[in-house]
Each structure stands twice: as structure tokens, then as C-alpha cells.
Amino acid sequence: MSAQTFPAQKGLNPGLMCQESYACSGTDEAVFECDECCSLQCLRCEEELHRQERLRNHERIRLKPGHIPYCDPCKGPNGHSPGVRQRAAVRCQTCKINLCLECQKRTHSGGNKRRHPVTVYHVTKVQELLEEEEMDEETKRKKMTEKVVSFLLVDENEEIQVTNEEDFIRKLDCKPDQHLKVVSIFGNTGDGKSHTLNHTFFYGREVFKTSPAQESCTVGVWAAYDPVHKVAVIDTEGLLGATVNISQRTRLLLKVLAISDLVIYRTHADRLHNDLFKFLGDASEAYLKHFTKELKATTARCGLDVPLSTLGPAVIIFHETVHTQLLGSDHPSEVPEKLIQDRFRKLGRFPEAFSSIHYKGTRTYNPPTDFSGLRRALEQQLENNTTRSPRHPGVIFKALKALSDRFSGEIPDDQMAHSSFFPDEYFTCSSLCLSCGAGCKNSMNHGKEGVPHEAKSRCSYSHQYDNRVYTCKACYERGKEVSVVPKTSASTDSPWMGLAKYAWSGYVIECPNCGVVYRSRQYWFGNQDPVDTVVRTEIVHVWPGTDGFLKDNNNAAQRLLDGMNFMAQSVSELSLGPTKAVTSWLTDQIAPAYWRPNSQILSCSKCATSFKDNDTKHHCRACGEGFCDGCSSKTRPVPERGWGPVPVRVCDNCYEARNVQLDVAEAQVDDEGGTLIARKVGEAVQNTLGAVVTAIDIPLGLVKDAARPAYWVPDHEILHCHSCRKEFSIKLSKHHCRACGQGFCDECSHDRRAVPSRGWDHPVRVCFNCNKKPAGTSFSVVTGKRLLC
């Protein structure tokens, strides 16, 4: 307001002189008070000062009769009670400032300032003005809190009861862009936490429910918005009161503490108990160990411009006594906060996570409790934005949601046997290694982010789980670590050819870089262990639901059944082609050196009849050439080739020349000895393979359970399709998905794809869910109490 709008009135405030001395040298009576200049001004000084461009828009008020100015230190930016403007009681003539009684005691009670002359304002008038302003202010604040109601934020099972960020803001009844802080309260059950919040923030209104009954009236976490102080107020369950889900409820308290800016620990004990210090000390340790990292990750993940945590919240210990003195009263020279720190140290607890710890006590001789001191302490801490800044309510919800998603799940109540309020088991993964029993050291629900299980200690070998991992030694020596697994066949082999090779040469170890590096029966004797030659071993942990060391040759029996089905289908649809292909390959693999390979035998060596796909080729044991059955039907001993005295197949020409000794070098006989032995065994194998078609006539159901891979659900446990839930019957056949091992009907498992992680390098039956998964997915299933991967 402009000074020219009102005429000067002399003699209204004869004791108030101009404090500027800009135009009057401080001799004129004050007429205006400029709040932004922080001074009383006479008519001339006010006019001259506010002609300047930078001061022109200052708000000034004309002094009324009996006017009492504000305290200058309280008005300034460094005032001891920001936002609370006290009326002055005296004016220091030397310092030329107005002082309230508290500021006078603080600034002029010692040293030379004690002798400064002061002018005392009319005390009665000051008190009247103060009372009038306080009544107006309190009435205004009460009106602002009349419609405030609390709501359940998180229940006792750690389930958030608001659906999303918008629902949280709506229930708080605040603006989305409103910057606010969070104040929460903790303490033992029955100590009056809800009552304290109601009287400190809401002028006694029962915003948070209170009850005289023995049962706790606060279950879960409740929240309300204080529009006066612009804070979200959170009420929590009392310690030592819950009887079920104790561990989860205790963990919930730490989540609330982590999102708070200011924490009140309420105690009604005449003396401070050790539980108070243990709770705060353990909460500090758990906050630094588990929550700080997660809050920072949430800041980055949500793209928040306000960091969620630099330090933990500030703590105010509100101590109400009846029969005992307050902390530090018997030692005036010692600050209560120092005594509290000494108590923490004696108990071996270090509250390093909290930005500050303050003590506020009140002794109640006669009810009701005086909460004014706590209110002033809270207002002072809320004005301090040095370590914790106000933020939007959406940021608060995101932080709580992130902590709830990360640290959730049931905890057995026997965990309360721990000496700590917040043991690591509340926040770390509960998975245990099936082999050695070691626990995972990562935080809860780390699997959602693709982080694998990890233990602090090394694992021990268990024959039950065969938890050895093989890595290619050649790749390791080149600076690469490539895991390999024993397989039934190489990825380049066709299904039936791979089956035949497995039956004869055993399992293979195939490296993606080096190819097939090992066959278990490559030689008839003297085969070395792969660990001594081509692979390195490492003992790994066995975690529930995973299997990183899968030995996929365990499905060889099922592959045999699949092969039998495949061959039977091939016999009926493609004649005997596949069976002949297997026999021809096996013959070449174990044939003596002097035999002509099957691939080179196109016609009979005697009658020159061309061989067709279904015709059988026979080798003469004497000359090694290929003949038809008619030209090699005779038998005789061929000892010179290593076949001994037993008659074997020979061609007609060699039979007729049986009295002529073949000219075979002794060295050649020795070289062929091993292959002849192989051939003798091979003929037995061929006879077995020749009976494949006959074996197919046996009901496969009699041997399916014996051939079932470990991760397949047994047939007798499969009652309905795992996908469409249709019940199986004689007309509806069961099919196993080669990826997950569950049972499906044909409609839900008609897709085909390779499953290398299960040892199926060629397309096999999978369910439609597994078929949707990206290539390279590692499949694992846990069924019942047994690990099926």
C-alpha cells in the first residue's frame, strides 16, 4: 500500500520512533511498518525509500494506536522459530531492534549486551495481541483439519490397500503437485501413539482411532494428510502387541520408516527401556543394508528428479513420564541427546542411518498430556530441508510400492527367535541350496529382475543332484568360459542316427565352439574320463526351481521310445529306409578295415544285381566285398581273418576256394583284431535293431514310466490337460511337453520345436505356452516336493 493514501497522524504511538533514519535521522515518530524492510518507518523515510524501483512493491501497513511491532530476529530468515512470528516485548536502543522475551534472553542475557538500554512495550497490550493472534491462528488451523479422515494404507499382511498413485492422492485429499513430507510414529502397543498424532496434528480430533479396550485399535498402517503442516501423517501398529504374522508386521514397520522424513518414537515409560534403543539401532542397520540400495534403484528406475534417500529420517524420542524426572534433568550440564548416544553405544547399537536424533520430554503431573513442546519440535524439524526435501505424493507412493514389491512374502514366526528386531531373513531371499543348505544372499524377489541365486559360500557335491558343471577346457585356455553338458547325440545328428550312435558310442559332450569333444565309448577299451581330458568341473549350488547342470542324456530312454515310434511310422509310410540307414551306418562304423563301405556297394559283386533301398547287402567275411543274399548264402570258418573256427558268411567264390589259404599279413591280422571283435558285438546289436519293429508291437505303456525323464510328471498323476483342463480318457490321449514336462492333450501340444536345454536338439512336441517362449529359454518346473527341472 502506498504511503500517500493516508494522511499522517501524529501522537498515535509516541513510543515508536522511525528505525530507518534515512531521511529523518531517527527523530520522527513511526507511522508505517514495512515487513520486507523489517523496520518501522516515519512518513518521510517511507516515502523516500519506496521511490526506489526495487522497493516500490513492498507491502506496508499504517500503524494503529497501541501497535506492538514484531520481533526482528523472529522475522528474519534465520529466526529460531520459522513461520512463527512473535510480538516484541522490548526494543534495544543500542542495537535498534525489537525483541520478544525469548530472543532477549537468548541474545542479551550475557556479555556487554546485558547493559544495553531497552524500551519496554506495554506488556498487557502485547499479551492481548498475542492471545488474539494465537486464537485466530488456532481457529483457522482447526477449520483446515475439520474434514481430515484417515485411511488404511497397508494391512497386517503387507498388502497395499490403495490401487495406484491416483488413488493414494485421492484418499490423502491433497493436490498432486503438492510438496509434502512424511511423519510416522512408532512405539509399544498401549503407549498412545494414535492419541499423540491426534493432538499434535489435528487438535484432538480422532482422525486416528483410539480405544480404551485391551485389544490394539490400530492394525496395519493408516495415513492422513495434515493441510496445516503439509505432511502425510502415518500411524503404525504397536510393538509387542501382535500375535500372528509377527515377522511380517515387524518388517512392515521398517518399510514405513524408510519412506518417512521424520519419525516419532513414543514411549510412556518412566525410564527409557532398552527396547527403544535396540529397535532404532537394528532399524538403522537394516535400512543401510537393505533399503538404501533399493530406494536409489527406484529413483533411477522411475526417473524421479527428487532423490528418495541420502540419509534416513530424523528421529524425535517423545518421552512422557509421571513419577520420574526427564532425561538430563538431574545433570543440567549434559545434553539429553548426548546421553542417548552414550546409551546406544553401551548396547552396541549405532543409529548411523538417521540424519539426527532428538529428545523431547514432558512430565505429566495431572492429565491431559502437554503436546505443545512436541509440536514445536516437529515444526522446527519440518522446516529443515537440509537432508530430506519435500516431494510429490506420487513419489512417496512409488517408494512404498517398490519396497513392498521387493520385500514381501511370508516369514515363519519362529524367525522372531533372533536377537535382532530386523534379522536378514526378513529381507533376503528364502531359497536354500538343496545340496549344501546354504541360503541365497540376494534380496527378496530378485528373480523378477533376472538376477540369479547366489550364496556366500562354495557348495559341496551331492550324488543325488549331481551338481557338477562342465566347461570346455580348450575354450577356457583361450580365455572363454563355455558350459557344456553330456548329450545323447550331437546337434548335427538326425533323430534316428543320433539314437543309433548313442546306443553304440555312448553320450557325447559338444562345445558350441569346438564341436563334439568327447564320446563316452569312443574306444572299446581305455576310454578316459572327460574331466581328465576335455572339460573342467565346478561344483554349483542347487536352487529350487532351477537346474543349471542338466544331464540331458537322462532322456535317452524316452528318445528310444520316440525313435521306435518314429521308425514304426517310417516303416509304414516310407518303407524300411530309416531302418536300413541305421543298419548301414552301424555296419560301416564297426566294419573291419578290409570291408568295402556300404556307401560304395551299389550292386552285387558276383551277379551285378543293383541294390534297391529295401535290399539287404551282405559282406563276405573272407574277401570283404558286398553281395546279395543269393550269392553269399554259404558259411565256413575264416580263421585267417580273425573270425576263429566258427562258420561265418562267405560268398560263393570264397566258399569254393576254401582249401586255398589267403595271403594275409600277420600285422594286418593284428590291426584288424580289434575291429573284428567290434564286428562280432555289432552283429548282436544289429540283431537287436532288427527286432525294433517287433518290439513296437509291445504296448509302449508298459515301459513309458521306466523311460520317463526325471522332469516329466508321471502319467498316473496327470488327470487332465494342464492347459484346457479336459479330463483324460481312453479316447483322449496324454502327451508330455518336452520343455516343461507337464501333460497336455494333442490340441494343446501340437507344436514342434527343438529344446536344447533338455537335450532335444531336433523339433519335438511342446505345449503352446513353451512354444511362445524365446529361443534359448532354460525350462524348469517344480512339482510337489520333488525338483523336476
Side-chain angles (χ1 to χ4, degrees), residues 179-183 225 229-233 259-262 381-391 396:
H179 285 78
L180 49 85
K181 289 189 174 183
V182 179
V183 177
Y225 176 63
H229 299 93
K230 295 181 174 56
V231 295
V233 184
I259 65 169
S260 300
D261 300 287
L262 187 57
Q381 289 299 317
L382 290 172
E383 289 291 334
N384 183 5
N385 297 327
T386 306
T387 56
R388 309 277 290 199
S389 301
R391 61 255 192 223
I396 298 170

Side-chain angles (χ1 to χ4, degrees), residues 510-753:
E510 183 178 17
C511 171
N513 300 327
C514 307
V516 176
V517 295
Y518 180 81
R519 288 187 182 273
S520 62
R521 293 196 299 271
Q522 185 171 4
Y523 308 103
W524 285 103
F525 56 88
N527 289 297
Q528 292 182 301
D529 190 276
V531 177
D532 300 329
T533 54
V534 296
V535 297
R536 298 173 66 254
T537 60
E538 181 182 355
I539 308 302
V540 297
H541 292 280
V542 188
W543 304 106
T546 60
D547 191 358
F549 41 87
L550 180 66
K551 304 295 186 294
D552 59 4
N553 52 309
N554 291 339
N555 66 14
Q558 183 61 38
R559 289 168 62 89
L560 176 61
L561 290 182
D562 288 350
M564 291 168 66
N565 280 326
F566 185 86
M567 285 186 175
Q569 184 179 4
S570 299
V571 168
S572 60
E573 296 180 3
L574 305 174
S575 186
L576 297 178
T579 306
K580 294 300 180 182
V582 172
T583 305
S584 176
W585 171 84
L586 184 57
T587 301
D588 287 340
Q589 292 297 308
I590 61 177
Y594 68 93
W595 277 24
R596 184 180 299 279
N598 276 279
S599 59
Q600 298 179 13
I601 301 174
L602 305 179
S603 60
C604 176
S605 183
K606 181 180 180 183
C607 66
T609 302
S610 297
F611 288 115
K612 298 180 181 179
D613 291 340
N614 297 341
D615 294 339
T616 303
K617 303 172 185 178
H618 298 282
H619 282 82
C620 172
R621 273 52 170 174
C623 64
E625 295 294 335
F627 298 89
C628 64
D629 185 67
C631 296
S632 59
S633 58
K634 299 179 175 59
T635 60
R636 73 171 179 85
V638 189
E640 64 274 16
R641 289 291 192 183
W643 295 95
V646 181
V648 292
R649 180 187 293 271
V650 293
C651 65
D652 293 346
N653 292 336
C654 291
Y655 181 79
E656 294 172 358
R658 58 184 178 279
N659 294 325
V660 179
Q661 183 68 29
L662 293 177
D663 185 13
V664 180
E666 183 177 355
Q668 184 178 354
V669 173
D670 291 340
D671 292 338
E672 293 174 353
T675 56
L676 289 176
I677 295 173
R679 178 59 192 172
K680 292 175 183 179
V681 179
E683 289 184 352
V685 174
Q686 286 191 39
N687 292 334
T688 302
L689 290 176
V692 165
V693 177
T694 305
I696 293 172
D697 295 334
I698 302 174
L700 293 179
L702 298 178
V703 293
K704 282 187 70 175
D705 276 343
R708 180 176 59 86
Y711 68 94
W712 280 23
V713 179
D715 279 22
H716 67 273
E717 295 182 10
I718 303 174
L719 303 179
H720 47 72
C721 176
H722 190 68
S723 177
C724 67
R725 316 307 291 178
K726 290 181 181 177
E727 290 191 8
F728 289 116
S729 61
I730 298 177
K731 296 182 179 180
L732 186 64
S733 300
K734 304 174 184 177
H735 300 280
H736 281 85
C737 170
R738 269 52 173 174
C740 66
Q742 294 288 348
F744 297 87
C745 65
D746 183 66
E747 291 182 3
C748 298
S749 62
H750 57 74
D751 295 318
R752 298 292 188 274
R753 67 174 283 182

Side-chain angles (χ1 to χ4, degrees), residues 32 144 273 368 450:
F32 294 95
M144 291 174 66
H273 294 166

Side-chain angles (χ1 to χ4, degrees), residues 93-107:
Q93 299 297 339
T94 304
C95 300
K96 296 185 178 181
I97 57 174
N98 298 308
L99 299 168
C100 65
L101 292 176
E102 187 174 350
C103 289
Q104 182 192 17
K105 184 186 296 185
R106 182 168 54 85
T107 61

Side-chain angles (χ1 to χ4, degrees), residues 406-457:
R406 169 66 70 171
F407 304 107
S408 60
E410 295 184 1
I411 309 173
D413 279 344
D414 56 12
Q415 296 286 3
M416 288 303 292
H418 289 272
S419 59
S420 171
F421 272 94
F422 303 100
D424 287 346
E425 287 79 1
Y426 286 8
F427 311 102
T428 55
C429 178
S430 60
S431 295
L432 299 177
C433 173
L434 300 176
S435 179
C436 69
C440 176
K441 70 177 185 179
N442 291 331
S443 60
M444 285 186 164
N445 300 310
H446 59 87
K448 295 180 180 179
E449 298 178 357
V451 178
H453 293 290
E454 188 177 0
K456 294 180 180 179
S457 59

